[in-house]
Amino acid sequence: MKCNASKNSEGNSKKSLSCDDECARLERNRKLALALNIDPEAHKDDHIPYSSDTLKMFRESVKWSQEQEREFRVFAADEAEKRLRFKPMPSHQRAFLHALAQDFGLDSESMDPEPHRHVAVFKTPRFVMAPMKTLQECVRIRLNAEAAAASLLEDQRRLRSNNEAFNGFLLKHPRFGLTIEELRSELSPQFQSTPGLAFDISFLPSEEIVIKAKPATPSTNVSASSVEAALKAMKPSVLATISTKRLAETCQMCSSDASLNIVRRGFEDEGAIDGWSRVAAKAAAPRSVTPQRGVGEKSVYTVLGSKLKDAKRKKEELEKAKAEEFLADDWEEEARREEMEAFGTGKNIADTVEEEAARSELLGSESYFLCLFGPYNPIVISAFAFSIRVVLNTRNSTTAMSQPNHIEKVAIIGATGHIGKCFAEELLKTGKHTVTALIRPDTNLSSLPAGIQQSSPVNFADPNQESLTAALAGQHFLIITLSLAAPPDLHSAIVRAAVRAGVRWIMPNVYGPDVFDQALQRDVEVFAKAVRQCEEIERLGASYVACVCGFWYEWSLAIGEPWFGFDAEARRVTVFDEGEVKVGVSTWGQCGRAVARLLSLPIEMEEKEGVCLERWRNKGFYFRSFRVSQRDMLESLKRVTGTGEGDWEVRRQGTVERRREGEEELARGEMTGFAKMMYSRVFFKSGEGDFEGRKGVSNGVLGLPEESLDEATKRAVQMVESGWSPSG
């Protein structure tokens, strides 16, 4: 950074950036990682927030369990909801709900007798938030861990079968705080008992300790077999010292190469500290004695297992199986019918309840129904059933699809817009996708791409988003494209409807620079909001892929000076700083191709080599058309328009000044100020706009073509000459 010092100013030489909340958080994490000896780059978050029982039941019925998990996540994310009721179900399914509730930090309770027994879940003060990982992700982590453990066992078996002579000891799980000097001091008598050998003690990256024997002097000639024999002779004494002093949990003989790679291990049970302690003490493990029953003496279990007990148990099991088998489709109506039959109230009881409820100021309140006339009055019982029906009928049912390993059904919100139309056209070209446009009642259907399917008209103004949820049922992937003028809570409502409908993958309304860059998030609120939209998707149990493509090139060049600084029609340009900072940008066509090729990949790996959609799960998807500066754009405009340097009016403005100017205009209600503020920030010399130089792109992986800058500039010039408007 230039110091900008002058005769009248000290410049930046004595200035320092103040540490904000984010800076302080990063510094705390850095110190904590340093204290715990954690490498942030290599650290893997393999924590599983679910119990083994929950994961076991999940794997037994994945599709059904995912439906219930989505219900839990929607409930957990809604601060206004305090209770969630499920429909009646068999006992093994209720057990899963209870286990999942406990993992979420929720309370749960089974209510009503069979066949209407169901689970209710409640939020309590101990509830904080839903687990960040989904059950499916945790099952994958568990399987990977099991595979790694199996691989480790195989490696250990291979190492044990190695005939390399032992040349040292390996200590596993050493005592916390144990130092090399302390260990050498404790084992000094053993080391001195073998004068022909010296011992090096080293800590391994695996937090194991290797004690390696070597000749005492360079001139000493000791064979490998002699070293092994000497180690075996001193092994009992070494184990006894380690056990007595509690220096480590296990100690085994090993063979290591010059780089301290363990090439052979002895059997761990040979060096188990607990086992050696018993041998050293010449004491065997206590033998358990099973008490003998006298001849003819009956066990109490035999008495309890009498024929009468067996008959009663069989009868109860038969009744339970019959009750679980009979689950009425409309269980609330069935419960109401049974209650009316039990009390002999007749068919007019519902009318009575509705009249009573209509006269009450607490319509729908359970406290009203419980306090009406008394605990055994039929009106109270039927009214309570009626209130449950009202609550349950307002909830949307979740229908999860059995999804193959490829994205086949794609829904697009905004398929008639600039970017949405490109997505639809490129997806249809692949022939691998059924693309559905989610339309409003007033959508101009003639502007939809040929071959695209249409949903039933969706009422996006509906707070419950019932029509949207129905339209999304069965879709594998949802692409959201919204204008900046969309209601601020619409994106969240769409995401919640998609989760309720069982959509597994969502592309949020994030198309532009690297919103995941913390400096950009801090300086541009719309970028921070984009990240919050992504986090909401993950929090609700779905997965997102966010497009990091830079600004749209044709759009930004044609729309006017507040964006890229160019007024192509008037031949004027505002150069930011020196105009040399390069940023990533993309054409609409490249965006469409990138998304189409991404969604044509398998969801999970099908072969040992290649790429899959999982690679970008809950991450940014980085690609670009060009990595250009303002100078590059100006030279391209000259070539396309056949103009020279003298034909353009050029003025200069610093990016910091331009950003401040944009903020002032935005405060006055001038929306062009928003463009100045956002675009100038991306062109800062600190380089946040050059996401390719910082993080790389996926162009090569997906086989995206290299485009011509002049061709893209030509399209932008044609847009200007035709009177193109972003709103039309």
Side-chain angles (χ1 to χ4, degrees):
M1 179 184 292
K2 293 184 178 180
C3 68
N4 290 330
S6 66
K7 182 169 62 176
N8 300 322
S9 172
E10 295 181 350
N12 296 326
S13 60
K14 294 185 178 180
K15 292 182 179 179
S16 61
L17 295 176
S18 60
C19 186
D20 57 10
D21 292 341
E22 179 64 18
C23 168
R25 183 186 69 83
L26 293 175
E27 180 63 16
R28 287 195 301 271
N29 290 346
R30 186 190 68 80
K31 291 181 178 179
L32 186 60
L34 185 63
L36 298 178
N37 196 25
I38 296 175
D39 182 2
E41 298 296 328
H43 178 66
K44 294 183 179 180
D45 181 14
D46 55 359
H47 170 67
I48 296 179
Y50 303 99
S51 67
S52 298
D53 291 339
T54 304
L55 294 179
K56 179 176 180 295
M57 289 185 281
F58 173 82
R59 294 173 68 175
E60 292 172 353
S61 181
V62 174
K63 175 184 173 182
W64 179 85
S65 300
Q66 286 177 329
E67 294 178 17
Q68 314 314 312
E69 182 187 5
R70 276 190 287 271
E71 288 287 333
F72 269 79
R73 290 190 177 278
V74 171
F75 170 64
D78 193 337
E79 296 181 359
E81 292 292 334
K82 301 300 180 184
R83 180 180 60 186
L84 174 65
R85 289 181 183 269
F86 290 85
K87 67 180 182 180
M89 59 186 66
S91 58
H92 69 278
Q93 292 181 338
R94 297 197 301 270
F96 173 79
L97 296 183
H98 288 303
L100 190 59
Q102 185 173 3
D103 295 334
F104 269 66
L106 302 167
D107 280 2
S108 62
E109 183 178 351
S110 290
M111 298 181 174
D112 292 346
E114 301 288 2
H116 308 301
R117 194 158 182 79
H118 63 281
V119 174
V121 177
F122 308 90
K123 287 180 182 175
T124 62
R126 72 187 181 97
F127 171 74
V128 179
M129 63 180 293
M132 294 298 293
K133 295 189 183 76
T134 64
L135 284 165
Q136 184 67 52
E137 290 172 335
C138 290
V139 167
R140 190 181 299 112
I141 292 173
R142 177 66 56 83
L143 293 177
N144 290 339
E146 292 174 354
S151 176
L152 178 61
L153 289 175
E154 176 61 23
D155 291 343
Q156 291 179 348
R157 185 198 63 77
R158 177 178 53 80
L159 290 176
R160 289 167 179 168
S161 63
N162 194 335
N163 292 324
E164 189 80 17
F166 291 125
N167 61 5
F169 296 102
L170 185 67
L171 277 61
K172 300 185 67 175
H173 306 296
R175 188 184 69 203
F176 180 77
L178 179 66
T179 64
I180 292 178
E181 291 75 13
E182 182 181 0
L183 183 60
R184 183 177 295 278
S185 175
E186 296 291 351
L187 295 178
S188 178
Q190 288 77 21
F191 293 164
Q192 293 174 2
S193 66
T194 54
L197 296 177
F199 295 88
D200 289 335
I201 303 177
S202 305
F203 279 90
L204 300 181
S206 60
E207 298 185 0
E208 297 171 317
I209 299 178
V210 62
I211 304 173
K212 186 174 182 179
K214 65 178 183 179
T217 61
S219 59
T220 305
N221 185 14
V222 182
S223 65
S225 58
S226 299
V227 171
E228 180 174 348
L231 292 175
K232 288 183 176 179
M234 63 185 294
K235 177 182 175 182
S237 176
V238 169
L239 289 177
T241 300
I242 292 175
S243 173
T244 303
K245 302 293 184 179
R246 297 296 177 186
L247 302 177
E249 289 187 9
T250 61
C251 175
Q252 59 191 124
M253 297 186 69
C254 71
S255 177
S256 60
D257 59 18
S259 300
L260 295 181
N261 296 311
I262 305 301
V263 296
R264 183 187 176 192
R265 295 172 184 256
F267 290 99
E268 287 189 13
D269 54 359
E270 293 178 354
I273 299 305
D274 183 61
W276 171 251
S277 297
R278 287 180 178 173
V279 174
K282 297 182 180 181
R287 185 177 63 182
S288 60
V289 180
T290 304
Q292 299 295 321
R293 201 167 47 244
V295 178
E297 181 181 351
K298 288 187 176 182
S299 166
V300 66
Y301 300 107
T302 305
V303 176
L304 294 177
S306 64
K307 294 182 179 180
L308 182 60
K309 184 71 175 180
D310 289 340
K312 183 178 180 181
R313 177 175 52 79
K314 290 180 180 180
K315 181 180 179 181
E316 290 175 349
E317 290 178 352
L318 183 62
E319 291 177 351
K320 181 178 179 181
K322 184 178 179 181
E324 292 190 350
E325 180 180 359
F326 175 70
L327 293 177
D329 293 334
D330 189 348
W331 68 276
E332 302 104 317
E333 185 63 29
E334 180 66 18
R336 176 176 171 272
R337 182 187 63 78
E338 290 182 359
E339 289 159 0
M340 289 194 298
E341 288 180 356
F343 288 92
T345 56
K347 63 180 180 180
N348 293 324
I349 187 65
D351 296 335
T352 304
V353 171
E354 291 176 3
E355 291 173 2
E356 291 292 333
R359 286 196 294 270
S360 173
E361 295 179 356
L362 302 175
L363 178 62
S365 169
E366 287 186 20
S367 60
Y368 164 73
F369 293 118
L370 291 173
C371 299
L372 265 176
F373 300 107
Y376 297 103
N377 193 295
I379 294 181
V380 177
I381 297 174
S382 296
F384 187 73
F386 169 73
S387 68
I388 294 177
R389 290 198 302 276
V390 171
V391 173
L392 291 176
N393 287 339
T394 60
R395 297 180 62 247
N396 295 311
S397 61
T398 302
T399 304
M401 294 294 296
S402 177
Q403 183 167 298
N405 198 34
H406 287 78
I407 300 295
E408 297 174 357
K409 298 180 180 181
V410 182
I412 300 179
I413 294 178
T416 60
H418 298 292
I419 191 66
K421 193 170 185 178
C422 290
F423 289 151
E425 290 173 346
E426 292 296 332
L427 285 166
L428 290 169
K429 285 180 184 178
T430 66
K432 299 179 179 179
H433 311 283
T434 301
V435 184
T436 302
L438 302 185
I439 60 174
R440 300 186 304 271
D442 58 345
T443 298
N444 181 8
L445 301 182
S446 62
S447 59
L448 289 172
I452 195 170
Q453 296 186 2
Q454 305 165 20
S455 70
S456 300
V458 173
N459 178 17
F460 288 99
D462 176 16
N464 294 323
Q465 295 295 344
E466 294 182 355
S467 58
L468 177 57
T469 303
L472 286 171
Q475 298 294 329
H476 299 159
F477 200 104
L478 170 63
I479 299 176
I480 304 174
T481 65
L482 301 173
S483 71
L484 288 173
D489 57 348
L490 179 58
H491 193 281
S492 178
I494 291 172
V495 169
R496 290 169 182 270
V499 172
R500 287 192 180 96
V503 179
R504 301 274 299 280
W505 292 84
I506 300 174
M507 182 167 286
N509 190 48
V510 179
Y511 311 100
D514 185 7
V515 299
F516 298 100
D517 184 275
Q518 293 182 351
L520 290 180
Q521 291 178 34
R522 184 172 57 249
D523 292 346
V524 184
E525 170 57 26
V526 70
F527 294 161
K529 179 181 178 183
V531 174
R532 291 196 295 270
Q533 291 173 344
C534 295
E535 292 173 345
E536 180 184 31
I537 294 171
E538 185 177 5
R539 187 171 64 251
L540 292 177
S543 301
Y544 71 83
V545 181
C547 278
V548 179
C549 54
F551 293 124
W552 295 329
Y553 183 70
E554 304 102 325
W555 164 290
S556 302
L557 196 60
I559 196 171
E561 192 274 342
W563 282 260
F564 272 162
F566 290 89
D567 185 343
E569 185 176 17
R571 302 286 193 269
R572 288 197 298 264
V573 57
T574 300
V575 176
F576 310 152
D577 298 324
E578 291 81 23
E580 300 292 348
V581 173
K582 291 186 180 291
V583 300
V585 297
S586 292
T587 64
W588 284 325
Q590 190 80 318
C591 290
R593 286 187 291 271
V595 170
R597 296 191 184 188
L598 176 72
L599 300 194
S600 297
L601 296 173
I603 298 175
E604 297 181 348
M605 291 291 292
E606 294 179 334
E607 300 176 355
K608 292 184 178 180
E609 297 181 357
V611 292
C612 62
L613 185 59
E614 281 282 347
R615 174 173 175 173
W616 292 277
R617 178 193 288 272
N618 296 331
K619 296 179 182 177
F621 171 43
Y622 293 78
F623 64 91
R624 53 86 182 144
S625 290
F626 314 112
R627 181 171 175 258
V628 293
S629 65
Q630 279 188 299
R631 287 290 181 185
D632 298 328
M633 299 180 203
L634 180 57
E635 293 303 318
S636 180
L637 277 167
K638 292 177 184 177
R639 292 191 296 269
V640 169
T641 59
T643 56
E645 188 75 26
D647 297 319
W648 287 81
E649 178 185 339
V650 180
R651 81 179 186 98
R652 299 183 185 278
Q653 187 178 26
T655 49
V656 175
E657 177 190 351
R658 186 176 177 86
R659 179 188 172 207
R660 183 169 57 251
E661 180 182 289
E663 291 173 342
E664 293 172 355
E665 291 179 2
L666 188 60
R668 295 194 299 267
E670 301 174 22
M671 294 310 298
T672 54
F674 172 75
K676 284 185 178 181
M677 178 269 297
M678 179 171 61
Y679 275 65
S680 62
R681 178 61 185 86
V682 173
F683 276 93
F684 268 23
K685 293 181 180 180
S686 47
E688 287 85 3
D690 183 17
F691 54 82
E692 179 177 8
R694 286 169 165 253
K695 299 181 180 179
V697 292
S698 301
N699 289 51
V701 173
L702 296 179
L704 295 176
E706 289 294 330
E707 298 176 276
S708 166
L709 178 61
D710 287 356
E711 287 297 322
T713 302
K714 183 178 180 180
R715 289 194 296 271
V717 170
Q718 291 172 346
M719 290 165 63
V720 173
E721 293 174 346
S722 65
W724 169 83
S725 169
S727 60

